[in-house]
């Protein structure tokens, strides 16, 4: 019952979680508190109560853990943030994007290219989508100081293909991994730190690979159709972005929400480098995930018998995937496709091949794993692993 949950959050914000839980257990029946425990999640609380919980970092998580310990019950499992209205909206957006993109070339030419595609290469593209998830599981293992069981971690990443790729900003990926680690016995702050470290490690690898790849591929003359804008408008725009970013970072909000967490994650990254096995898992798994995912795009293009550089396509994918996911749409829908098309166009890939290859790649390597991810998610819920 949300009213009890709301009262608990308000009381904990005022007197602390320990006193709030002791008072609640002494005054209310266990069944009523057990019902409230299930509602101690952001989605079940009104905005005014969530704002109270945000005054103390991890207040809501600490309250949920303390109440569960006091009642002698497990922390409630992860509930998918995906709602029917979310699915409908995602399908409408996907339909709009994937129907409009072929119009940049010709719908008839795109359909013809699909009909004449090499099905063996399409099968390779499908395999890369699942191998990438396997490699991401290794990266997650390297993010944790406490050993994580591999196959269970892999299943959670499969389920995250459903919860993470269908929610804005990958919120479902973050949530399911945090709950999974809590079920393994990690406290919420440590579970959140492990997940943030994994995302930071992947981002760092993507940045390094993108920079090296752009210079290497650029020197080879692959980006024949790339024109970099110059002049005062570019300088003024760049300066404005730098000044705005500096102002945000220097503000109290920036110091609290950006600088402090970034320094904490940076220290964890440095600490990971002191442990060769963990570093290999974290950074090697992230590199493998990005490269194999990029090869999925290359395999989709190869199915169309297009002449291209596999290395350049992989670099384009890593850049496009990283930049596209900065847009708060489920799975970077629309943004990823746009950046990939721009990159392939700069390589000189014909428009029809580029559009068809990007659509095939996104459908087979990114969205197809969502379907088994739903089944795995239900299985993990049934087994009480999330």
């Amino acid at each position: 019952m949300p009213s009890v949950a709301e009262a608990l959050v308000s009381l904990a914000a005022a007197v602390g979680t320990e006193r709030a839980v002791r008072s609640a257990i002494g005054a209310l029946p266990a069944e009523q508190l057990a019902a409230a425990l299930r509602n101690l999640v952001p989605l079940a609380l009104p905005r005014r109560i969530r704002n109270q919980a945000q005054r103390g970092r991890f207040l809501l998580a600490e309250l949920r853990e303390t109440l569960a310990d006091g009642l002698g019950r497990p922390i409630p499992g992860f509930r998918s943030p995906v709602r029917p209205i979310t699915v409908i909206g995602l399908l409408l957006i996907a339909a709009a994007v994937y129907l409009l993109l072929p119009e940049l070339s010709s719908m008839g030419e795109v359909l013809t290219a699909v009909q004449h595609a090499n099905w063996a290469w399409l099968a390779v593209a499908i395999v890369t989508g699942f191998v990438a998830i396997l490699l991401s599981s290794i990266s997650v293992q390297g993010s944790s100081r406490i050993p994580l069981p591999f196959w269970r971690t892999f299943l959670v990443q499969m389920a995250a293909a459903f919860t993470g790729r269908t929610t804005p900003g990958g919120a479902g990926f973050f949530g399911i991994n945090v709950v999974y680690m809590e079920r393994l016995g990690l406290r919420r702050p440590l579970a959140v730190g492990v997940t943030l470290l994994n995302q930071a490690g992947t981002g760092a690898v993507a940045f390094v690979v993108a920079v090296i790849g752009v210079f290497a591929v650029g020197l080879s003359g692959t980006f024949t159709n790339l024109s970099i804008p110059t002049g005062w408008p570019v300088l003024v725009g760049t300066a404005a972005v730098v000044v705005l970013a500096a102002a945000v970072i220097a503000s109290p909000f920036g110091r609290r929400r950006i600088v402090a967490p970034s320094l904490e994650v940076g220290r964890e990254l440095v600490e990971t480098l002191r442990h060769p096995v963990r570093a290999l898992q974290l950074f090697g798994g992230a590199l493998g995930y990005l490269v194999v995912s990029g090869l999925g795009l290359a395999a989709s293009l190869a199915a169309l018998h297009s002449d291209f550089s596999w290395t350049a396509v992989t670099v384009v994918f890593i850049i496009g995937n990283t930049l596209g996911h900065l847009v708060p749409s489920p799975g970077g829908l629309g943004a990823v496709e746009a950046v990939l098309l721009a990159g392939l166009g700069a390589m000189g890939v014909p428009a029809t091949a580029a559009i068809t290859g990007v659509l095939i790649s996104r459908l087979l390597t990114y969205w197809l794993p969502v379907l088994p991810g739903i089944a795995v998610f239900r299985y993990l819920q049934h087994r009480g692993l999330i």
Side-chain angles (χ1 to χ4, degrees), residues 104-195:
L104 298 176
S105 174
S106 167
M107 179 68 78
E109 293 178 0
V110 169
L111 293 177
T112 301
V114 172
Q115 291 173 355
H116 293 87
N118 185 315
W119 293 97
W121 280 117
L122 296 183
V124 172
I126 293 175
V127 171
T128 62
F130 292 97
V131 172
I133 295 175
L134 184 73
L135 292 168
S136 72
S137 305
I138 298 175
S139 181
V140 171
Q141 282 188 301
S143 306
S144 175
R145 298 181 182 181
I146 300 174
L148 302 177
F150 174 73
W151 289 112
R152 192 181 303 178
T153 303
F154 169 66
L155 289 177
V156 172
Q157 302 320 302
M158 278 295 303
F162 161 55
T163 61
R165 298 179 183 186
T166 54
T167 52
F173 168 82
F174 189 90
I176 194 172
N177 276 286
V178 168
V179 172
Y180 161 60
M181 293 175 198
E182 284 184 320
R183 287 302 178 96
L184 291 177
L186 278 69
R187 305 297 286 182
R188 172 57 68 99
L190 182 56
V192 170
V194 169
T195 308

Side-chain angles (χ1 to χ4, degrees), residues 134-355:
L134 184 73
L135 292 168
S136 72
S137 305
I138 298 175
S139 181
V140 171
Q141 282 188 301
S143 306
S144 175
R145 298 181 182 181
I146 300 174
L148 302 177
F150 174 73
W151 289 112
R152 192 181 303 178
T153 303
F154 169 66
L155 289 177
V156 172
Q157 302 320 302
M158 278 295 303
F162 161 55
T163 61
R165 298 179 183 186
T166 54
T167 52
F173 168 82
F174 189 90
I176 194 172
N177 276 286
V178 168
V179 172
Y180 161 60
M181 293 175 198
E182 284 184 320
R183 287 302 178 96
L184 291 177
L186 278 69
R187 305 297 286 182
R188 172 57 68 99
L190 182 56
V192 170
V194 169
T195 308
L196 286 176
L197 179 62
N198 178 253
Q199 293 181 329
T202 303
V205 171
F207 176 78
V208 172
V209 172
V211 172
I212 295 176
V214 165
F215 276 104
V217 175
L219 291 174
S220 68
T222 302
F223 293 114
T224 55
N225 295 341
L226 178 64
S227 60
I228 300 176
T230 58
W232 285 108
V234 176
L235 293 176
V236 172
T238 303
V241 171
V242 171
V243 171
L244 179 61
V248 172
I249 293 174
S251 66
F253 172 84
R255 291 195 298 270
R256 184 176 66 256
R257 295 287 186 178
I258 300 175
V259 176
S262 298
L263 290 176
E264 184 176 344
V265 172
R267 286 191 292 268
E268 287 293 329
L269 284 173
V270 173
E271 177 64 24
T272 302
L273 291 174
R274 298 175 182 172
H275 301 82
V277 175
R278 281 188 59 204
L280 181 61
Q281 287 179 315
L282 173 59
F283 298 111
L287 177 62
Y289 167 77
L290 293 169
V291 171
V292 170
S293 298
L295 293 178
L297 174 59
S300 300
L301 286 172
L304 306 173
H305 313 289
S306 183
D307 184 21
F308 60 90
S309 165
W310 283 65
T311 302
V313 169
T314 303
V315 172
V316 166
F317 172 84
I318 293 175
I319 296 173
N321 186 67
T322 303
L323 295 180
H325 278 88
L326 296 178
V327 177
S329 63
L333 184 61
V336 172
E337 287 83 357
V339 180
L340 292 180
L341 287 176
L344 294 178
M347 288 175 52
V349 177
T352 299
I355 293 171

Side-chain angles (χ1 to χ4, degrees), residues 5-148:
E6 294 171 18
L8 277 170
V9 174
S10 299
L11 186 59
V15 303
T17 56
E18 295 287 349
R19 291 182 60 186
V21 169
R22 279 201 307 268
S23 301
I25 291 177
L28 297 172
E31 293 76 12
Q32 195 172 3
L33 290 175
L37 178 62
R38 291 192 293 271
N39 289 290
L40 288 175
V41 292
L43 290 175
L45 298 170
R47 183 186 297 271
R48 58 184 176 82
I49 300 298
R50 293 199 301 270
N51 291 338
Q52 292 179 12
Q54 290 173 357
R55 294 173 189 169
R57 194 179 184 191
F58 303 124
L59 173 66
L60 195 59
E62 292 173 1
L63 178 59
R64 186 165 57 247
E65 292 172 354
T66 305
L67 182 57
D69 290 341
L71 295 174
R73 295 172 180 262
I75 298 174
F78 179 74
R79 293 189 291 184
S80 171
V82 182
R83 299 290 180 265
I85 187 64
T86 306
V87 175
I88 294 174
L90 180 60
L91 290 175
L92 290 176
I93 296 173
V97 171
Y98 292 157
L99 288 176
L100 287 175
L101 278 181
E103 295 301 326
L104 298 176
S105 174
S106 167
M107 179 68 78
E109 293 178 0
V110 169
L111 293 177
T112 301
V114 172
Q115 291 173 355
H116 293 87
N118 185 315
W119 293 97
W121 280 117
L122 296 183
V124 172
I126 293 175
V127 171
T128 62
F130 292 97
V131 172
I133 295 175
L134 184 73
L135 292 168
S136 72
S137 305
I138 298 175
S139 181
V140 171
Q141 282 188 301
S143 306
S144 175
R145 298 181 182 181
I146 300 174
L148 302 177

